[in-house]
Amino acid sequence: MSFRSPDPTPEIIVWVENLAKQFVLHNQGAAILEVLRDVSLTLRSGDCLVLNGPSGAGKSSLLRCIYGNYKSDSGRIVVRHNGQPVDMVAATPREVLSVRRQTLGYVSQFLKVIPRVATIDVVAEPLRREGMEAGRARDNAATMLHRLNVPERLWKLAPATFSGGEQQRVNIARGFVSDYPVMLLDEPTSALDATNREEVIALVQEKLAAGAAVIGIFHDEDVRDRLATHLLNMAPLREAA
Amino acid sequence: MNSGSTAPLLSVSGLSHYYGAITGCCGVSFDLWPGEVIGVVGESGSGKTTLLNCISGRMAPTVGKVEFCTRTEGLADIYRMSEAERRMLMRTDWGFVHQNPRDGLRMGVSAGANIGERLMAVGARHYGEIRDTANDWLGKVEFNLDRMDHLPSTFSGGMQQRLQIARNLVTGPRLVFMDEPTGGLDVSVQARLLDLLRELVTDLGLSAIVVTHDLAVARLITQRLMVMRQGEVVETGLTDQVLDDPQHPYSQLLVSSILQV
């Protein structure tokens, strides 16, 4: 692994140190957008850290940096993967993929629709990637879709034409179908009605009770208050003076 | 790593190819691991096809090394093998899907024979078994079996492309090279083909190198991406990272030039 160094205590499963991220827009006069500066956090098993702050504060960017979707400029993002600490900032793409496959789940705000793939297979895909046999993966996907009240008549259809709320539930089902020890949730309840919001809260609570750690963005105050064990307040960065 | 094997399937180091004074590609190095799909993107003339030809044993690079992990000897330099060994590799462990199916199919023989021929090249002799395998593969690529005995020239572009894919995969290759596999197809056929490729890659654990100028294709079927410009690789990384947070000015230009529908 690319990272072997101080491993604080085994129960810490994610720790971020002095993370910084800026975008350099080369084709727009090399404009620089600074989105994260000196961000640090630690997560233990059972923690739900809620990122709090107005839009533009860098909440989604932080999740994306942790997932390796955005490239961090400096600092460390260490995730305990199969018992070993892996620094996502320094890891090779292959290591990042391995961490994503087994350790780190990410539910984005919107479902990235794959043309022609049936809902049930969209949800089963993470399990198939882990090597689970197709039938079993579909059974697990079905259980999750039932829980999130996605009607069975939709399962064979591709989600492209579904409503926003239906797509979001498919996306959540896909994120929760696998047993990731760490989950990153980017506003998973934004388009849901009260019943489904309750179901998502229950899903997250079960994950936490089972020992997972969650970093989430929830604009709904009620959801935030019920799930958060910790808060990280974030504010948009001002131009350096 | 805890997952995957410890040796790369393909290892390319310091590869350059020059056409006289003109640079085809320059200083390319990367490893491809079993089960991985790498995309190569860039505009026309950026060296994508030159690179693909060099690493697929079709054109010796001016300098540099291409090593493939053979079943018997581990990593071996493909340009130091005998011609016969290299051809055997291309028939068995490798597949090559051309942009134009006419370059990858034998247009003078039926669909079934196009598949049977690859099987016979690796030693299959039993007619019934060859026909069954051909049937099975044509089914996998959603090919209408009633057309099995027809000539490829009577098929649509999409059907020809699916036939070419079946012809390539029937021998169970470990590595498939694809040059703009969805290039000349209309979008509905493209989506169907991409879906098929995704499924095959997942189910068979195939490794692939896919050259494309279509970033949407790259996002759908590749895990890693190399961005080429003027013969050089200017950026590499996880596909979603390169597309969502491109670092190099040229990658940024490519990504920002996509039309949204």
Side-chain angles (χ1 to χ4, degrees):
Chain A
M1 283 295 169
S2 51
F3 178 82
R4 296 209 187 282
S5 77
D7 186 353
T9 50
E11 73 265 23
I12 294 180
I13 43 185
V14 178
W15 64 104
V16 173
E17 276 176 16
N18 309 112
L19 190 73
K21 166 69 186 167
Q22 60 181 25
F23 292 101
V24 182
L25 310 175
H26 292 287
N27 303 304
Q28 296 175 58
I32 292 177
L33 294 176
E34 190 182 14
V35 288
L36 299 172
R37 189 194 298 161
D38 221 11
V39 175
S40 299
L41 57 91
T42 40
L43 260 98
R44 291 176 170 77
S45 167
D47 283 353
C48 179
L49 175 72
V50 172
L51 308 182
N52 199 26
S55 67
K59 304 183 297 294
S60 292
S61 293
L62 175 56
L63 289 190
R64 285 168 176 259
C65 282
I66 296 172
Y67 197 59
N69 176 236
Y70 282 175
K71 212 177 172 107
S72 305
D73 297 321
S74 60
R76 300 195 307 182
I77 299 167
V78 184
V79 175
R80 192 176 300 283
H81 172 56
N82 288 330
Q84 293 294 319
V86 177
D87 182 359
M88 298 291 279
V89 177
T92 63
R94 195 162 164 259
E95 287 168 336
V96 172
L97 286 174
S98 169
V99 172
R100 287 181 182 182
R101 227 174 349 249
Q102 294 165 49
T103 303
L104 204 51
Y106 172 60
V107 179
S108 58
Q109 219 172 332
F110 303 103
L111 177 69
K112 279 227 169 75
V113 180
I114 309 160
R116 266 184 31 113
V117 178
T119 295
I120 186 96
D121 293 323
V122 168
V123 176
E125 194 183 61
L127 297 173
R128 298 279 289 129
R129 257 196 326 242
E130 287 167 26
M132 188 184 284
E133 178 267 317
R136 236 183 96 212
R138 281 213 183 103
D139 289 346
N140 288 358
T143 308
M144 201 46 87
L145 285 167
H146 266 309
R147 252 197 100 164
L148 288 158
N149 304 304
V150 178
E152 207 166 331
R153 64 188 159 80
L154 297 181
W155 296 0
K156 283 201 174 134
L157 307 177
T161 55
F162 293 5
S163 74
E166 282 163 349
Q167 289 199 12
Q168 193 164 41
R169 279 179 279 147
V170 172
N171 203 26
I172 295 165
R174 180 179 158 95
F176 278 86
V177 75
S178 191
D179 273 323
Y180 300 113
V182 183
M183 293 285 289
L184 309 173
L185 307 177
D186 193 347
E187 293 227 50
T189 55
S190 63
L192 301 185
D193 57 30
T195 316
N196 286 305
R197 198 159 53 229
E198 285 304 315
E199 202 52 59
V200 174
I201 292 173
L203 272 173
V204 176
Q205 284 169 337
E206 284 166 30
K207 279 270 174 203
L208 294 169
V214 171
I215 306 180
I217 303 170
F218 307 101
H219 276 187
D220 185 304
E221 260 177 58
D222 172 58
V223 178
R224 189 168 54 208
D225 293 345
R226 286 166 63 191
L227 287 177
T229 59
H230 302 72
L231 275 184
L232 180 70
N233 288 309
M234 299 176 76
L237 294 172
R238 304 260 174 270
E239 295 292 318
Chain B
M1 294 297 294
N2 297 307
S3 65
S5 46
T6 48
L9 186 64
L10 185 81
S11 180
V12 174
S13 43
L15 185 142
S16 302
H17 189 79
Y18 304 98
Y19 302 100
I22 297 168
T23 303
C25 64
C26 180
V28 180
S29 299
F30 69 94
D31 288 331
L32 175 77
W33 301 82
E36 229 179 14
V37 181
I38 292 189
V40 184
V41 298
E43 62 201 354
S44 306
S46 59
K48 305 187 298 284
T49 301
T50 298
L51 175 64
L52 193 70
N53 284 335
C54 287
I55 59 184
S56 62
R58 310 161 72 82
M59 185 168 73
T62 314
V63 290
K65 212 160 54 170
V66 181
E67 293 169 292
F68 179 74
C69 186
T70 60
R71 289 176 200 251
T72 47
E73 285 157 55
L75 276 184
D77 186 334
I78 63 164
Y79 288 105
R80 303 189 107 186
M81 295 174 183
S82 68
E83 180 68 25
E85 282 175 307
R86 193 162 60 242
R87 291 182 70 94
M88 189 61 194
L89 205 59
M90 291 167 97
R91 275 206 302 266
T92 55
D93 262 352
W94 292 3
F96 196 108
V97 177
H98 296 263
Q99 174 172 8
N100 186 345
R102 288 166 177 272
D103 297 332
L105 290 173
R106 283 233 291 138
M107 300 303 284
V109 301
S110 71
N114 260 284
I115 294 185
E117 191 181 63
R118 272 277 286 201
L119 286 170
M120 286 166 72
V122 295
R125 286 295 173 265
H126 187 279
Y127 178 78
E129 280 168 18
I130 291 174
R131 185 133 181 126
D132 287 350
T133 312
N135 254 316
D136 185 37
W137 267 99
L138 288 172
K140 274 192 193 138
V141 298
E142 302 175 32
F143 195 91
N144 183 350
L145 292 180
D146 296 343
R147 306 290 302 273
M148 186 166 174
D149 297 318
H150 297 187
L151 293 180
S153 55
T154 66
F155 302 154
S156 68
M159 282 173 76
Q160 288 181 358
Q161 196 56 303
R162 279 178 278 135
L163 178 62
Q164 191 193 185
I165 288 167
R167 175 178 158 96
N168 270 282
L169 298 185
V170 68
T171 53
R174 291 188 292 157
L175 173 58
V176 180
F177 302 95
M178 300 187 201
D179 190 4
E180 304 275 6
T182 59
L185 305 172
D186 69 58
V187 284
S188 63
V189 180
Q190 265 195 32
R192 190 169 172 196
L193 194 71
L194 283 173
D195 179 24
L196 172 74
L197 286 174
R198 272 167 45 86
E199 226 176 86
L200 291 174
V201 166
T202 316
D203 290 353
L204 306 174
L206 275 183
S207 303
I209 297 176
V210 183
V211 163
T212 179
H213 66 267
D214 188 334
L215 299 184
V217 168
R219 194 190 277 277
L220 269 180
I221 61 177
T222 71
Q223 290 128 23
R224 276 165 61 198
L225 210 53
M226 298 199 282
V227 181
M228 288 189 78
R229 186 192 183 214
Q230 294 172 358
E232 285 180 45
V233 175
V234 295
E235 181 164 354
T236 64
L238 279 175
T239 299
D240 62 85
Q241 184 257 300
V242 173
L243 294 180
D244 292 339
D245 186 18
Q247 306 290 309
H248 190 275
Y250 178 67
S251 319
Q252 292 187 352
L253 186 67
L254 264 189
V255 171
S256 67
S257 305
I258 306 174
L259 295 173
Q260 302 286 333
V261 285

